[in-house]
Amino acid sequence: MFKNMIVYRMAAPWQVELTQVEEALAKAPFTECGATQEKSLGWVPPRGEAHGPLAESVGGQWILRFMVESKVLPGSVLARRVKEKAERIEQETGRKPGKKESRQLKDEARLDLLPMAFTKQGSMWVWIDMAARLLVLDTSSQSRADEVVTALVEALPGLSVSLINTQTSPQAAMSHWLKEQEPPLGFTVDRECELKSATEEKAVVRYARHPLDIEEVQAHISAGKLPTKLALTWDDRVSFMLTEGLQIKKLTFLDTVFEGTQADDAGFDTDVAIATGELGKLIPDLIEALGGEAESGVASAAQAMPPAAAHAGSGQAAAVPAPAAKDVVGLVVTGPATAPVDTDPESAPF
């Protein structure tokens, strides 16, 4: 189910019922693009059943699904149509269109072509753990996450979230783990990483399917190259790639997770139970490995949680960048002053 993760903390004392979430999402359902519409987004039933609920609860974990459809209009095709229109005006009037008229021609050409353009669709899983006050998005792209968070806070009055902000930055922690060959308790370092120089040249060294406990890796770090990605395994149950911006990519549930399950134990409820059960334990362990949550505007959310809820999934959270906050009036969106760099915006499912 989840292949990537960006995790947020929801600030206390916000409370909402599942029925209220359902009613709110029903006001913004997904509909396909109209003839001249470039992009459409909204909520779809997580189970994939027509007219099904837009908010599902499995074992107390809430699952939503956000859908985006966009028209594919290649720049070269648009430029050719604009050129054709400009040439027609020159032939009819003997003059070339000016800058303002050229912009108008581009808008006209876009409207001409959109009804004939192909469309592409993509969806994102959204997981809300009210007990642990976590919001988890199935993406490693911050820009895509911002879009979904904005839709959520617009739909759910009073919702306030913040991106994970840890005491130790992922990059500093990954450097230590590689240089000292001391992975955090419960984790092992796998055979893939990326090291990048901070100099103007931005030299990059990548290792794939290669042991990392070698002097060469340590020498690169000593020379000033810093990890931007590192493959890890948690508790021999979940493998993933950690990035410098605390995005989690390439989530894979290992065979030990499925021990004791039957071959026919497949379906939405089973997938949700496995994913949320494992990730609900991984997230707090990863936060602890990074020194715990740094003080931020949502620190009070973690402090307000009962100990049992904190243990159930105590991922501390990360900050919605300023653009999302500006889109919605009256919402409190806090966290680090600078959002993590979106290193791979095209890796998300849409």
Side-chain angles (χ1 to χ4, degrees):
M1 174 173 275
F2 280 78
K3 300 299 183 184
N4 307 282
M5 283 200 305
I6 293 181
V7 188
Y8 297 79
R9 171 72 73 194
M10 299 185 297
W14 184 72
Q15 293 290 337
V16 69
E17 300 295 331
L18 186 64
T19 53
Q20 294 174 294
V21 175
E22 175 71 29
E23 292 172 2
L25 301 188
K27 297 177 183 177
F30 170 77
T31 56
E32 295 183 354
C33 289
T36 58
Q37 186 179 0
E38 288 191 66
K39 188 175 184 178
S40 179
L41 47 84
W43 303 97
V44 297
R47 291 182 186 273
E49 300 171 352
H51 311 296
L54 298 176
E56 292 277 0
S57 177
V58 178
Q61 306 299 317
W62 298 355
I63 299 295
L64 323 175
R65 199 168 190 180
F66 191 75
M67 178 76 75
V68 172
E69 181 180 78
S70 57
K71 293 285 184 73
V72 180
L73 190 57
S76 59
V77 175
L78 180 61
R80 186 165 64 246
R81 179 59 66 94
V82 172
K83 183 180 178 181
E84 292 171 356
K85 287 177 172 289
E87 289 176 348
R88 188 178 304 118
I89 289 175
E90 187 173 358
Q91 291 173 358
E92 294 174 354
T93 65
R95 62 174 181 81
K96 292 184 177 181
K99 290 184 178 180
K100 182 177 180 180
E101 191 173 8
S102 294
R103 288 195 294 268
Q104 293 174 340
L105 291 178
K106 187 175 182 179
D107 292 338
E108 292 176 7
R110 187 182 301 277
L111 290 174
D112 290 345
L113 293 170
L114 280 174
M116 298 178 286
F118 290 105
T119 60
K120 61 178 181 179
Q121 288 186 351
S123 64
M124 182 190 298
W125 295 107
V126 178
W127 165 27
I128 298 176
D129 184 341
M130 289 296 292
R133 310 203 71 82
L134 292 178
L135 168 65
V136 183
L137 305 183
D138 180 20
T139 181
S140 60
S141 166
Q142 190 60 57
S143 60
R144 306 286 168 81
D146 292 345
E147 191 170 48
V148 177
V149 168
T150 298
L152 273 175
V153 295
E154 286 179 337
L156 301 172
L159 174 61
S160 174
V161 300
S162 178
L163 279 168
I164 290 176
N165 186 23
T166 53
Q167 294 281 358
T168 303
S169 74
Q171 195 164 65
M174 291 188 291
S175 294
H176 175 78
W177 300 338
L178 287 171
K179 187 175 181 179
E180 304 300 327
Q181 291 301 306
E182 292 182 0
L185 183 65
F187 292 83
T188 56
V189 173
D190 292 339
R191 295 161 55 90
E192 185 175 354
C193 79
E194 178 182 274
L195 305 171
K196 186 176 293 186
S197 172
T199 62
E200 292 183 0
E201 290 81 8
K202 301 295 182 184
V204 177
V205 177
R206 295 185 178 91
Y207 291 89
R209 298 181 296 279
H210 195 288
L212 302 179
D213 56 346
I214 55 176
E215 292 183 0
E216 182 180 306
V217 172
Q218 298 172 15
H220 280 305
I221 294 174
S222 297
K225 292 186 179 67
L226 297 173
T228 56
K229 300 176 184 177
L230 178 63
L232 298 166
T233 292
W234 168 77
D235 199 29
D236 292 326
R237 300 178 70 81
V238 183
S239 293
F240 61 96
M241 182 80 74
L242 177 65
T243 77
E244 59 183 324
L246 201 45
Q247 296 99 354
I248 295 173
K249 303 181 178 184
K250 299 182 179 180
L251 272 169
T252 302
F253 297 102
L254 305 183
D255 290 342
T256 51
V257 171
F258 302 100
E259 291 178 357
T261 60
Q262 302 297 322
D264 58 352
D265 283 348
F268 179 82
D269 292 83
T270 301
D271 290 345
V272 170
I274 290 174
T276 58
E278 297 299 324
L279 300 179
K281 299 172 186 175
L282 164 61
I283 291 169
D285 281 0
L286 180 59
I287 298 303
E288 183 178 351
L290 295 172
E293 182 183 17
E295 287 296 327
S296 70
V298 292
S300 59
Q303 295 168 0
M305 290 168 54
H311 180 72
S314 62
Q316 326 307 347
V320 173
K326 292 178 180 178
D327 289 339
V328 187
V329 178
L331 290 168
V332 180
V333 185
T334 57
T338 305
V341 176
D342 199 350
T343 55
D344 193 8
E346 298 305 317
S347 67
F350 58 83

